[in-house]
Amino acid sequence: MPLDPNIAGFLQFIESEGVPAIADSTVDEARAAIRQLLVELRDPSTLAQVGSIEDATVGDGIPVRVYRPEGDGPFPTIVYFHGGGFVIGDRDTHDGVCRQECRDIGAVVVSVDYRLAPEHRFPAAVRDCYAALNWVAEHIDEYGGDAARLVVGGDSAGGNLAAVCAQKAHADGLALAAQLLVYPAVDMLGDYPSRAENAEGYFLTVADMNWFGGHYLGIDESDPAAAELAVDPELSPLHAESLDGLAPAVVATAEFDPLRDEGNLYAQQLEKAGVKVEHRQFAGLIHGFYGMELLSPAIADASDWINARVKELLA
């Protein structure tokens, strides 16, 4: 299917404005650019309205933002990890996503501001995210109040962290009702056709991915140590020894995304392991679409599908 015309216009606008690629930016420049795109240029009046929003900390001082729906609980609880290649992004950049989840799913959403690379390299983000998930599970009465409807979710790098945490939760006996994986990065050094087909020109580039990976790991992929790290399930959850018994999954991928094929493969491997999976590859869309629903009706429909599938799993 052709690239969505609204997205094509958006990409042309970015190019015409001379916005530097992530791979050509410093860390500070990349962080400022994503905040400008997702925070400063967004009209606050377009944000979904929820019952309440509160900034807090969990565990050993991990910052979170808690979104609560209107009405009385108990509610499901989603522990959510933002995307950004483990280097950029924060609670503010994904405020719109979490508001929508809270409103549309009818869930408390706990958005986790995990530590970022290169200041804090792998596995710092994994440690923060899993600690936050466990904290919320242990204090569920302070959040949604329903221990049977605890969800872990994330997009892109956050999808990686959610998949890792879902595996760790199962190994440790922590029951999850679902996992939400939006265009997840699940195979750090994998070689897939989508990485060649969508290497550049579709928002996230392979050069950007290499930039993110270098900052997250602190080594170049040509380093011999990288090959050993690449199959560590805490970095590349696709390489887990077993996916049996994991929580039901909603997996969303995009046609014009370098990460498309590994996300699709992970959904297939989950199904092969007997996990209930709701998976859809969205035609005409690019990496990063979740949270850009104002850009295109197709993106709005995709976001609605994702949130509706999670809500159905929690029914």
Side-chain angles (χ1 to χ4, degrees), residues 83-159:
F86 312 101
V87 178
I88 63 178
D90 54 33
R91 291 175 294 183
D92 293 337
T93 60
H94 285 62
D95 180 62
V97 164
C98 293
R99 284 171 175 264
Q100 275 199 307
E101 290 178 351
C102 177
R103 182 195 64 189
D104 296 348
I105 300 172
V108 172
V109 179
V110 182
S111 178
V112 180
D113 236 348
Y114 54 88
R115 289 173 291 171
L116 298 177
E119 296 88 346
H120 306 281
R121 302 190 192 277
F122 172 79
V126 175
R127 300 291 177 264
D128 285 358
C129 290
Y130 194 53
L133 177 62
N134 275 279
W135 175 272
V136 172
E138 292 167 3
H139 299 81
I140 197 67
D141 289 344
E142 301 171 22
Y143 298 94
D146 187 351
R149 293 188 293 169
L150 178 61
V151 179
V152 66
D155 61 280
S156 192

Side-chain angles (χ1 to χ4, degrees), residues 218-306:
I219 56 176
D220 185 84
E221 66 177 51
S222 62
D223 189 311
E228 182 177 351
L229 262 179
V231 295
D232 182 341
E234 289 199 348
L235 179 67
S236 298
L238 182 65
H239 292 280
E241 184 175 335
S242 172
L243 302 179
D244 293 353
L246 294 185
V250 175
V251 183
T253 56
E255 180 180 7
F256 295 99
D257 181 358
L259 297 179
R260 179 195 68 209
D261 291 348
E262 64 199 78
N264 290 346
L265 180 58
Y266 194 63
Q268 293 163 12
Q269 295 292 75
L270 286 169
E271 284 189 306
K272 187 176 179 180
V275 176
K276 178 178 175 59
V277 177
E278 295 283 353
H279 169 232
R280 185 169 170 185
Q281 176 183 302
F282 288 96
L285 301 191
I286 61 171
H287 189 89
F289 72 78
Y290 195 49
M292 295 186 183
E293 70 286 345
L294 298 179
L295 183 62
S296 161
I299 292 178
D301 289 345
S303 299
D304 288 344
W305 183 91
I306 291 167

Side-chain angles (χ1 to χ4, degrees), residues 179-192:
Q179 51 181 318
L180 169 59
L181 311 176
V182 182
Y183 33 76
V186 291
D187 191 4
M188 186 61 79
L189 293 184
D191 183 14
Y192 299 94

